[in-house]
Amino acid sequence: MASSGKHGGRSRKLNISSFTTKRKQGEQAGSKSKSSLTVPVIEEENEIIQKKKRKLKEKLKKKKVKAAIKLQAWWRGTLVRRTLLHAALRVWIIQCWWRLTLWKILDKKRRKALIDFSNKQRAIVKIQSLIRMWRIHWRYCQVLSAIYIIQGHWKYHNCQSCSLLRGHCVITTTHLQFHIEIIDH
């Protein structure tokens, strides 16, 4: 602020200095009463500050504890999930092995059943072919004996025309066809 002359500036200085001197005098005169009042106020302020510091420390401690609890919970969860994953993988490996083992057992049973079936079929076909062969052989033997009988009778029979015998034989599984022709010369 601008002052209007020499006196205006001095008067201001005097006012400020007089205020400070009055204050000092007032403080000295009531120093005993003020000091007794200021000590409890300062102590209360210190207690309030200490309480605030304690509360702040407790809040920080609670935050640290909560953070530690969260971190521990996360770590425990990670360990549990890892353990469960390992257990699930082990179960999966065992299941795969068991399925493969069952498949091999079933494959062996199928092969054995197929081999047994083919052996039975082969045996059945062999028996059927042996029976057919025996029946044909038996019929053939019948035809041969019939031919021998006819030849024997024909040789000893006196034939005036000296004809020739020609025979034709057809053998089937169910019956025997036999044709004899007498050819004259």
Side-chain angles (χ1 to χ4, degrees):
M1 288 189 158
S3 60
S4 60
K6 291 181 181 181
H7 296 293
R10 282 185 196 159
S11 65
R12 195 172 211 198
K13 282 184 183 179
L14 288 175
N15 287 343
I16 293 173
S17 64
S18 67
F19 176 74
T20 55
T21 54
K22 285 180 185 177
R23 187 173 133 208
K24 284 181 184 179
Q25 288 171 357
E27 284 179 5
Q28 287 173 356
S31 67
K32 290 182 183 177
S33 63
K34 277 190 180 178
S35 66
S36 63
L37 290 177
T38 56
V39 171
V41 171
I42 292 173
E43 287 177 1
E44 286 179 15
E45 286 179 4
N46 285 341
E47 286 179 21
I48 292 171
I49 291 171
Q50 291 297 326
K51 283 182 183 179
K52 285 183 180 179
K53 285 182 179 179
R54 274 187 248 131
K55 284 183 182 180
L56 186 61
K57 283 182 181 179
E58 287 176 9
K59 283 183 182 180
L60 286 174
K61 189 175 180 180
K62 285 181 182 179
K63 281 185 180 181
K64 285 181 181 180
V65 168
K66 281 185 180 180
I69 290 171
K70 282 186 180 181
L71 186 63
Q72 288 172 353
W74 172 80
W75 181 246
R76 285 187 196 119
T78 302
L79 289 178
V80 168
R81 283 188 293 278
R82 186 184 301 163
T83 304
L84 290 175
L85 178 66
H86 285 293
L89 287 174
R90 288 180 187 129
V91 166
W92 181 71
I93 289 170
I94 291 169
Q95 286 175 345
C96 288
W97 171 80
W98 182 245
R99 286 183 192 130
L100 182 66
T101 304
L102 284 179
W103 183 80
K104 286 180 180 179
I105 291 170
L106 286 175
D107 191 45
K108 283 182 182 179
K109 285 182 181 179
R110 283 187 203 128
R111 286 180 185 223
K112 187 175 185 250
L114 183 63
I115 290 170
D116 289 345
F117 177 76
S118 63
N119 287 342
K120 285 179 186 177
Q121 289 294 322
R122 195 175 301 127
I124 289 169
V125 169
K126 185 82 169 178
I127 290 171
Q128 287 174 346
S129 68
L130 287 173
I131 291 173
R132 286 186 191 120
M133 184 182 73
W134 176 77
R135 287 177 70 192
I136 290 172
H137 181 71
W138 182 71
R139 295 243 164 106
Y140 179 73
C141 288
Q142 283 180 338
V143 169
L144 271 181
S145 67
I147 289 173
Y148 290 148
I149 291 171
I150 292 171
Q151 281 179 349
H153 285 293
W154 189 260
K155 282 182 186 177
Y156 295 112
H157 186 306
N158 189 359
C159 182
Q160 296 164 351
S161 63
C162 291
S163 311
L164 292 174
L165 288 174
R166 183 182 293 178
H168 179 69
C169 178
V170 176
I171 302 172
T172 62
T173 56
T174 56
H175 61 282
L176 174 67
Q177 292 179 354
F178 186 66
H179 299 286
I180 297 176
E181 293 180 26
I182 300 174
I183 302 173
D184 290 331
H185 284 289

